[in-house]
Amino acid sequence: MKASLRRRARAASALLAVAALSLTGTATANAAAESEAVNRPVTIQLLNVSDFHGQLDPLNIFGVGDVGGAAALSSYWQADRAQNPNTLLLTAGDAVGASPPLSSFFQDTPTIEWMNYTNFTADTFGNHNFDAGLGRLQDQIDLANFDYVSANLRNVPPNLSGVSPFQIYDVAGVKVAVIGLTNPEAPSLVTPGNLGTLRIADPVKAALAAKAVAQQRGATVFVAIGHLGVTQIDPDTGAASGPLVDFAQSVRGFDVILGDHTDVQYSDRINNQLVLENKSKGATYAKTRIVVDPRSGTALRTSSQFIVPLVSNVTPDPGVVALLQPYRDQLAAELDGVIGTSDGILPRGGTPAVERVQEVAIGDLVTDAIRTTYDTQIAFTNGGGLRSEIPSSYLPQDMTLRRPSPGYAAGPPYDLVAGDIYTLLPFGNSSVTRTVTGSQLWDTMEYSVGDIPAANGKFLQISGYKIVFDAARPSGSRLVSMTLDDGTPIPNDPSFVITATTNDFTNSGGDGYTMLADGMGVTRDLLANDVLDYVSALTVPVSTATYGRITQLN
């Protein structure tokens, strides 16, 4: 009996010992697992678009289909966040401005509301953010639930409130600094005076100074969002150039640099920094991964991919559809009416943007319209003011119309609606009539072609006269000849006077046309209204043809 009790006691003791060992082993394993989890790299996801410009409706891209748009992008980003909730959603200026009517007719409020809905993290300022002046911009800042950052803006108070050089975000325990940068040439790209007393400092110095302060405050990962773009890619070497490349070559220590402004898809590593730019208006977005060492908080590696957000691949977010429907209903009564037809698609954009390097049919249309309306000898308007092909991405509710967008009747010819004209000309500029001298016009046209072969929004589309220029000559002395349509030479002579129509932006010195900022000119109707009336009065389709008005040698 006693032996049996002793045996049972020994067995129980052994079981207790095994249990103790098991518990110790479990605790050790749990501790090891916890340690491994703590030391496991953190993957941060950046989603970003470039130059969205209030493009709430999809773009119809030839050979691709419907791409982007607010509802589809929202669905893509929801899926991306479901895969990795450690996500920042960023853009680098011009999310608004030069917007289609669905946004521009409502002071771009629909775009800001959509950005709030999709939980944007931060934005900075590009030149188009200032299109309507500081009052409109402040309203947008006040409406936004996301941050506006710009490190190189000076005199921010009292011009604007709610703007900081950078913000630091805690993402899964990692402190990520997002530093914003505004393009230095912005004041010359908007109506003079629209920036108030704001000044724009050197982006390199400002970015490095902001990065140093952010680092002192504990940030270990650094992202620059700059309204700086790639302006040219060498066709032979593939080498990129432009302000985005210049900036990246001049700074150190940024993990990712997100560019904007020039509608160029670009990705490279410069000074061990991942540098990106998307196509504009949501035609692409970038999905970037930053893998971070949780012990040091520093990035171990970065990678990125461009996504073409095909509408057909997702169910458009019904919440966004509902958000925008009241605005669509208001537009339809005013802008859905058919005003004419076109014999095809009048192109705009591309790489380089065609309206910024050569004569295009939409340029001929607009300048013919304002020259005819005010019966002047010539007309000219800046290519940067032409923001859409014709027919545009505007979506009238009548699906029986002949339109290039999916779901409509087939063309050509295509039915044009009022919404197309306001999509083409979204800035609210006015036509201006005036006289120019031969000398002024020579200076004006020399300046227009001075950057060729690089694309520039200052490039003028013209009517009533023709120019021939030699791109091999030095900038400023490229014009070979300039004649009126009847063959009369236009001399470089201050006594030769011509009547002209242009827009108020160019006439006030915008895009650098200081030779026109002489206080002359009579403001007329809205430019878009003049073009709409002109198209409505045509008895033939708007033509895709051009007429040899601008001839480039070499």
Side-chain angles (χ1 to χ4, degrees):
M1 184 70 174
K2 290 181 180 179
S4 177
L5 289 171
R6 283 196 294 268
R7 284 195 298 273
R8 285 199 292 269
R10 285 197 296 270
S13 178
L15 287 171
L16 288 171
V18 170
L21 285 171
S22 178
L23 288 171
T24 302
T26 300
T28 302
N30 287 343
E34 289 174 5
S35 175
E36 181 183 354
V38 168
N39 294 322
R40 186 177 299 135
V42 174
T43 299
I44 297 170
Q45 179 173 246
L46 305 181
L47 305 174
N48 84 286
V49 287
S50 302
D51 277 288
F52 186 67
H53 286 303
Q55 188 63 51
L56 299 171
D57 284 325
L59 296 167
N60 182 249
I61 299 177
F62 180 75
V64 178
D66 269 10
V67 173
L73 284 170
S74 179
S75 295
Y76 273 91
W77 294 338
Q78 286 176 9
D80 292 334
R81 282 177 163 132
Q83 291 180 347
N84 185 355
N86 300 326
T87 295
L88 301 178
L89 176 55
L90 305 169
T91 189
D94 286 4
V96 297
S99 307
L102 184 57
S103 187
S104 65
F105 267 50
F106 306 99
Q107 295 76 52
D108 281 315
T109 295
T111 297
I112 302 295
E113 290 180 341
W114 169 73
M115 294 174 74
N116 287 341
Y117 176 94
T118 52
N119 294 313
F120 267 76
T121 306
D123 190 4
T124 189
F125 304 114
N127 46 286
H128 286 292
N129 290 93
F130 301 98
D131 281 344
L134 296 180
R136 170 81 61 81
L137 179 54
Q138 187 63 62
D139 289 342
Q140 292 166 354
I141 294 170
D142 293 342
L143 179 62
N145 293 336
F146 49 90
D147 296 313
Y148 279 98
V149 291
S150 181
N152 63 329
L153 275 188
R154 299 292 180 262
N155 301 333
V156 175
N159 290 282
L160 293 171
S161 62
V163 181
S164 58
F166 63 89
Q167 288 287 344
I168 297 175
Y169 302 97
D170 190 320
V171 185
V174 178
K175 293 189 180 300
V176 181
V178 177
I179 298 168
L181 299 161
T182 299
N183 50 320
E185 77 279 15
S188 69
L189 300 178
V190 299
T191 301
N194 273 20
L195 273 75
T197 59
L198 286 171
R199 296 292 178 267
I200 303 177
D202 173 50
V204 172
K205 293 179 180 178
L208 292 174
K211 178 178 176 294
V213 175
Q215 192 165 17
Q216 291 172 0
R217 297 182 184 176
T220 56
V221 172
F222 301 93
V223 178
I225 55 173
H227 201 69
L228 311 166
V230 170
T231 54
Q232 193 168 355
I233 297 178
D234 189 292
D236 297 322
T237 66
S241 58
L244 178 61
V245 175
D246 295 342
F247 173 81
Q249 290 174 340
S250 301
V251 298
R252 299 288 190 279
F254 284 90
D255 299 294
V256 180
I257 299 172
L258 301 176
D260 213 303
H261 189 45
T262 52
D263 192 23
V264 175
Q265 183 175 297
Y266 170 77
S267 177
D268 202 357
R269 292 188 182 275
I270 301 176
N271 293 336
N272 201 33
Q273 304 163 124
L274 182 59
V275 185
L276 306 169
E277 182 181 1
N278 283 287
K279 295 290 290 180
S280 296
K281 299 185 177 182
T284 65
Y285 74 91
K287 184 160 61 171
T288 301
R289 299 171 75 249
I290 307 175
V291 180
V292 179
D293 181 347
R295 292 165 295 187
S296 65
T298 56
L300 299 171
R301 56 189 176 275
T302 56
S303 61
S304 191
Q305 64 181 127
F306 291 109
I307 307 297
V308 177
L310 287 168
V311 176
S312 59
N313 286 350
V314 295
T315 299
D317 185 343
V320 174
V321 174
L323 173 69
L324 298 177
Q325 192 59 49
Y327 297 111
R328 293 189 191 282
D329 292 342
Q330 292 180 63
L331 277 185
E334 189 170 353
L335 299 185
D336 277 17
V338 175
I339 60 169
T341 62
S342 69
D343 63 13
I345 297 175
L346 282 65
R348 184 262 178 195
T351 305
V354 290
E355 74 283 357
R356 302 179 182 216
V357 293
Q358 66 189 54
E359 178 190 356
V360 292
I362 53 170
D364 291 348
L365 171 66
V366 171
T367 52
D368 283 352
I370 58 177
R371 180 177 62 84
T372 302
T373 298
Y374 297 107
D375 194 25
T376 55
Q377 292 170 279
I378 66 170
F380 51 86
T381 195
N382 57 313
L386 308 176
R387 307 304 298 192
S388 174
E389 69 283 352
I390 293 292
S392 70
S393 61
Y394 182 80
L395 301 177
Q397 294 189 3
D398 183 356
M399 303 300 290
T400 67
L401 296 179
R402 297 166 297 179
R403 306 280 291 177
S405 295
Y408 291 90
Y414 295 112
D415 294 306
L416 302 181
V417 298
D420 289 320
I421 306 304
Y422 291 103
T423 303
L424 170 65
L425 300 166
F427 292 116
N429 291 118
S430 296
S431 297
V432 172
T433 54
R434 58 167 297 155
T435 59
V436 293
T437 68
S439 297
Q440 271 182 308
L441 192 59
W442 271 77
D443 289 344
T444 297
M445 297 313 300
E446 284 283 10
Y447 182 68
S448 170
V449 301
D451 284 356
I452 298 294
N456 195 303
K458 71 181 184 181
F459 185 87
L460 295 176
Q461 300 291 323
I462 65 175
S463 174
Y465 63 115
K466 297 179 180 180
I467 68 166
V468 177
F469 73 98
D470 187 346
R473 293 183 182 181
S475 181
S477 58
R478 292 180 164 183
L479 283 190
V480 175
S481 65
M482 184 159 50
T483 58
L484 293 173
D485 279 352
D486 64 6
T488 302
I490 302 174
N492 190 350
D493 183 344
S495 65
F496 188 88
V497 179
I498 315 164
T499 58
T501 310
T502 185
N503 64 71
D504 55 351
F505 170 69
T506 303
N507 193 62
S508 63
D511 268 344
Y513 282 100
T514 55
M515 70 290 294
L516 298 173
D518 53 8
M520 292 188 63
V522 177
T523 302
R524 304 290 189 164
D525 200 352
L526 288 178
L527 181 64
N529 289 348
D530 289 336
V531 177
L532 188 150
D533 290 344
Y534 176 81
V535 172
S536 299
L538 290 176
T539 58
V540 295
V542 172
S543 176
T544 57
T546 54
Y547 304 100
R549 297 175 182 181
I550 301 173
T551 301
Q552 176 181 333
L553 306 177
N554 299 311

